[in-house]
Amino acid sequence: MGGGSQQTVPGEPDSGKAKGVYTWEEVQSHCSRNDQWLVIDRKVYNITQWAKRHPGGFQVISYYAGEDATEAFTAFHPDPKFVQKFLKPLLIGELATTELSQDRDKNAAIVQDFETLRAQVEKRGLFRAQPLFFFLHLSHILLLEALGWLTVWMWGTGWIQTLVCSVFLATAQAQAGWLQHDFGHLSVFKKSSWNHLAHKFVIGHLKGASSNWWNHRHFRHHAKPNIFIKDPDINTLHLFVLGRTQPVEASSTKIVFLMFLSTHTVQLVIIRCLPLCYSTG
């Protein structure tokens, strides 16, 4: 099955030679930092050099080294034709016909269900954003911000005025958080540059945070949601320890406050900056 002798030079433009035919075992062996292959629609790509130049960041694409990245590729690239010019030079072959399309322990039925669901959602046009809605969304946030400022400016800083102002601003900030999320996903305008500009305004000027920081973390989250270490949104070792994996990771760190969650019980443990010791047996 192995097609190492048939493939073109990895990462170089198509030279016209026959491509390789690979098994999942061969693909999965290329998952180190300096040797990375992945699969998209059963085609095998060598992304070792490209990962360093990947616009979405090195980690996002490297998370799929040795794996099938079809679903993630589809979700992250709304214009597949545009990115084909970047994929073509990386193509080194395809999966053998005897190999499943899914890697490792993926359930083929579940994958098919998601593909069917996505096709239905696209057919109904649910992925097509309405710019007018987002304009009105932004307008009501700005209005709430203005009302909060006017409340203090016109009536001072008494307890009642402060409470009213807090309600205005808390609502505006919560709404701005979701609005920047949609702009950050580049899901509102057809042009990515417009989405980036709107995102920088909402998260930078209304929320006081960095759009680059948010993108760096959130794209990693969507690349491997709820996968420990890879998903930064569940990296809570310095506050909460969840499940069976995190306590082992936390055993060599100094944690002030821990919450252990198991299937049947919830235990709250308060310790005083002492190293934790767990049996890994």
Side-chain angles (χ1 to χ4, degrees):
M1 286 298 181
S5 61
Q6 299 177 342
Q7 70 185 57
T8 59
V9 178
E12 292 188 358
D14 187 355
S15 62
K17 297 180 181 178
K19 301 295 183 181
V21 178
Y22 302 97
T23 64
W24 270 119
E25 183 179 1
E26 290 175 300
V27 173
Q28 291 168 356
S29 67
H30 298 272
C31 60
S32 65
R33 184 177 181 88
N34 297 316
D35 181 19
Q36 300 182 348
W37 293 7
L38 55 71
V39 175
I40 300 174
D41 290 327
R42 297 189 62 84
K43 296 186 182 298
V44 181
Y45 297 90
N46 185 331
I47 63 165
T48 304
Q49 298 302 320
W50 168 247
K52 302 173 183 178
R53 305 192 302 271
H54 183 236
F58 172 83
Q59 290 175 307
V60 173
I61 190 172
S62 295
Y63 282 168
Y64 283 90
E67 301 179 12
D68 176 38
T70 303
E71 292 85 4
F73 176 82
T74 302
F76 276 96
H77 304 92
D79 186 359
K81 292 182 179 180
F82 173 76
V83 296
Q84 280 300 321
K85 63 180 181 181
F86 300 102
L87 281 178
K88 187 176 180 180
L90 310 177
L91 180 64
I92 59 174
E94 61 183 17
L95 290 175
T97 55
T98 55
E99 292 291 313
L100 297 174
S101 296
Q102 293 78 35
D103 65 328
R104 301 179 189 264
D105 299 323
K106 284 185 179 179
N107 187 312
I110 294 178
V111 172
Q112 182 59 49
D113 287 344
F114 272 104
E115 290 178 353
T116 302
L117 176 61
R118 182 181 181 87
Q120 293 175 350
V121 170
E122 288 180 336
K123 184 177 180 180
R124 295 181 182 182
L126 300 182
F127 286 146
R128 292 196 295 269
Q130 299 294 330
L132 177 60
F133 167 81
F134 288 96
F135 172 77
L136 295 175
H137 193 178
L138 175 59
S139 297
H140 103 278
I141 292 172
L142 296 175
L143 177 61
L144 288 172
E145 295 272 356
L147 288 174
W149 178 78
L150 287 172
T151 299
V152 176
W153 182 61
M154 295 182 66
W155 292 291
T157 57
W159 282 105
I160 295 179
Q161 295 93 320
T162 300
L163 179 61
V164 171
C165 179
S166 298
V167 172
F168 285 146
L169 295 182
T171 304
Q173 286 293 298
Q175 292 294 310
W178 291 113
L179 181 60
Q180 69 83 23
H181 177 273
D182 292 336
F183 285 132
H185 272 284
L186 312 182
S187 60
V188 178
F189 302 111
K190 292 183 178 180
K191 291 186 177 181
S192 295
S193 58
W194 293 7
N195 285 295
H196 283 301
L197 184 63
H199 186 226
K200 289 180 183 295
F201 172 74
V202 176
I203 194 173
H205 294 277
L206 300 184
K207 298 288 293 180
S210 166
S211 60
N212 292 332
W213 165 83
W214 186 88
N215 283 329
H216 178 70
R217 290 179 57 87
H218 201 66
F219 288 174
R220 289 165 57 199
H221 159 69
H222 278 289
K224 288 290 184 179
N226 296 330
I227 302 299
F228 186 58
I229 297 298
K230 294 183 177 180
D231 183 356
D233 285 10
I234 62 170
N235 185 15
T236 59
L237 287 185
H238 294 287
L239 184 59
F240 297 110
V241 173
L242 311 175
R244 298 180 178 180
T245 303
Q246 289 189 358
V248 178
E249 294 292 330
S251 62
S252 60
T253 63
K254 295 180 179 181
I255 309 298
V256 178
F257 177 86
L258 301 178
M259 178 177 285
F260 298 87
L261 297 182
S262 62
T263 306
H264 302 290
T265 62
V266 177
Q267 296 178 323
L268 180 62
V269 180
I270 300 179
I271 58 180
R272 300 180 59 183
C273 293
L274 296 176
L276 303 180
C277 296
Y278 293 94
S279 172
T280 58

